Amino acid sequence: MANNADNKSECTAEIEAKNENDENEEPEKILIIDPDSEELDFNHSRLTKLENLEPLTKIRKLCFTWNLIKKIENLDTLTTLVELELRDNQIVTIENLDALVNLELLDLSFNRIKKIEGLENLLNLQKLYLSSNKIQYIENISHLKNLITLELGDNKIRQIINLEGLENVTNLFLGKNKITKIENIGCLQNLQLLSLQSNRITKIENLEELRNLDQLYLSENGLTCIEGLSNCPKLTTLDLANNKIKKIENIDHLENLEEIWMNNNEIEEWTTIENLAVNKKLQTVYLEHNPVAKDPSYRRKIKLILPWLVQLDATLCR
């Protein structure tokens, strides 16, 4: 049984789940009780197929997360749909979405998709989630002029390419891929959040055009120094944890910096910590698991250098 949340229009949907191990079981069915429903949630219903949705003439949001769906189909009549969530299924191909011209959010994370395709008619799409699939190339999205959020983390992407035309993107997630270089992102001049954790990047570069960048996440890469941030004056969050950095440098111009995460690096000189003293808006600093953190007076020394600090590592400062 799937029910709407309390603040949604009242409706119920009855689902008869199929036991895949018993051939005598009836196939699962989606039974629409209220055709005027605007939102329906079939989360964790063991559905294997999208069907019987034709009565939904007013539907705006559909959620089919955590099911056994293998194919996107039978959605042609749902032209009013604004949000479609199909994460945690067994979908291999992005297809049969042409009729969903009003769609603003599409979530296909945690599936088995190998290629970005089938989005030609989704010109109103604002949020596209494709994390945890098997995608190798960024492609076929340059026409999505209204896209704001693009999530492609945890795939098999090796190169940042084909982002031209996405001038309105403010949030780009590319963590946990196989990317070796920051490149081809100068066209994203409205970008505010760039996430590239857990890749193979060895240098901070090619950020000159990203003057609106507010958050930069580069943890778990192969960085050895802090550089390439001279044109990012609006940066408030800088994540450089789990790299091989030995010095804190080239950030004195980041007057808006509030959080810097540099735990699990190779910082051993206290003189380099003192370089943070010019960043008067700093509230949170992570430096644990660096050689300096072995000093018995580690916390006391940090507080003397940064008396305005609110949090050091995972502990609030008194």
Side-chain angles (χ1 to χ4, degrees):
M1 180 76 67
N3 298 307
N4 284 341
D6 293 340
N7 62 340
K8 300 177 181 178
S9 61
E10 290 188 16
C11 64
T12 58
E14 182 177 341
I15 302 163
E16 299 175 5
K18 174 183 178 181
N19 185 338
E20 294 182 327
N21 298 321
D22 189 347
E23 295 181 356
N24 295 322
E25 287 285 341
E26 293 271 341
E28 79 297 328
K29 296 178 182 178
I30 303 174
L31 301 180
I32 305 302
I33 305 303
D34 183 2
D36 291 329
S37 301
E38 292 189 4
E39 301 184 20
L40 280 174
D41 190 339
F42 297 98
N43 175 53
H44 207 314
S45 302
R46 294 193 63 80
L47 291 170
T48 60
K49 190 174 183 180
L50 294 172
E51 59 183 349
N52 303 326
L53 297 169
E54 291 81 4
L56 298 173
T57 57
K58 298 181 180 180
I59 195 70
R60 291 178 56 83
K61 298 181 181 181
L62 269 178
C63 179
F64 292 98
T65 60
W66 206 352
N67 281 286
L68 303 169
I69 298 167
K70 297 181 179 179
K71 185 175 182 179
I72 303 173
E73 58 185 342
N74 301 319
L75 301 177
D76 292 347
T77 60
L78 309 184
T79 55
T80 58
L81 201 61
V82 174
E83 296 186 10
L84 177 60
E85 297 184 37
L86 286 163
R87 61 185 291 130
D88 285 290
N89 278 283
Q90 301 174 8
I91 296 167
V92 176
T93 305
I94 305 174
E95 58 186 339
N96 300 320
L97 295 173
D98 291 345
L100 309 186
V101 293
N102 292 304
L103 203 64
E104 296 178 2
L105 183 151
L106 176 60
D107 190 348
L108 289 166
S109 300
F110 294 93
N111 277 283
R112 303 172 184 178
I113 297 166
K114 295 182 178 180
K115 184 178 181 179
I116 304 175
E117 59 186 339
L119 305 174
E120 289 79 14
N121 284 16
L122 307 188
L123 301 181
N124 287 307
L125 202 62
Q126 296 180 14
K127 298 179 180 180
L128 177 60
Y129 300 97
L130 290 168
S131 63
S132 299
N133 278 284
K134 300 179 180 180
I135 297 168
Q136 295 185 30
Y137 302 102
I138 303 174
E139 58 186 339
N140 302 321
I141 58 172
S142 59
H143 64 290
L144 302 177
K145 305 298 183 182
N146 292 303
L147 202 63
I148 295 174
T149 297
L150 177 58
E151 164 66 272
L152 288 168
D154 193 13
N155 277 284
K156 298 183 178 181
I157 297 169
R158 295 181 180 273
Q159 187 178 12
I160 304 175
I161 54 173
N162 298 327
L163 295 176
E164 296 80 7
L166 304 181
E167 289 82 5
N168 289 313
V169 168
T170 59
N171 303 296
L172 177 60
F173 299 89
L174 289 168
K176 204 174 181 181
N177 277 286
K178 300 179 180 181
I179 297 168
T180 58
K181 186 176 182 180
I182 304 174
E183 59 184 339
N184 302 319
I185 55 175
C187 56
L188 307 180
Q189 296 185 10
N190 289 307
L191 199 64
Q192 298 176 16
L193 185 154
L194 176 59
S195 175
L196 287 163
Q197 305 109 310
S198 301
N199 276 284
R200 302 172 182 179
I201 297 166
T202 57
K203 185 177 182 180
I204 305 174
E205 60 184 335
N206 298 319
L207 302 177
E208 291 81 10
E209 302 299 323
L210 308 186
R211 295 180 179 274
N212 292 304
L213 198 63
D214 179 76
Q215 302 174 56
L216 177 60
Y217 300 93
L218 288 167
S219 60
E220 297 187 63
N221 277 284
L223 302 174
T224 57
C225 66
I226 304 175
E227 59 185 333
L229 301 175
S230 57
N231 283 20
C232 303
K234 295 183 179 180
L235 211 60
T236 64
T237 301
L238 180 58
D239 177 12
L240 298 171
N242 289 281
N243 279 286
K244 301 176 181 179
I245 298 169
K246 295 183 177 182
K247 293 182 179 181
I248 297 176
E249 57 187 343
N250 301 321
I251 62 169
D252 55 306
H253 65 290
L254 301 179
E255 298 179 355
N256 295 299
L257 195 63
E258 297 176 1
E259 299 190 22
I260 185 167
W261 305 342
M262 295 200 64
N263 50 287
N264 298 85
N265 274 282
E266 300 177 4
I267 299 169
E268 56 184 355
E269 298 293 335
W270 280 101
T271 52
T272 192
I273 304 294
E274 294 173 358
N275 291 336
L276 291 172
V278 298
N279 303 102
K280 301 298 183 181
K281 291 186 179 180
L282 267 181
Q283 297 182 24
T284 301
V285 173
Y286 273 82
L287 285 166
E288 59 186 351
H289 306 304
N290 277 281
V292 292
K294 296 179 181 179
D295 190 318
S297 302
Y298 163 68
R299 290 189 64 84
R300 183 179 64 84
K301 289 183 177 180
I302 295 290
K303 290 179 183 179
L304 287 173
I305 297 171
L306 306 169
W308 55 85
L309 210 59
V310 176
Q311 180 177 332
L312 176 56
D313 300 327
T315 307
L316 293 176
C317 298
R318 295 183 180 178

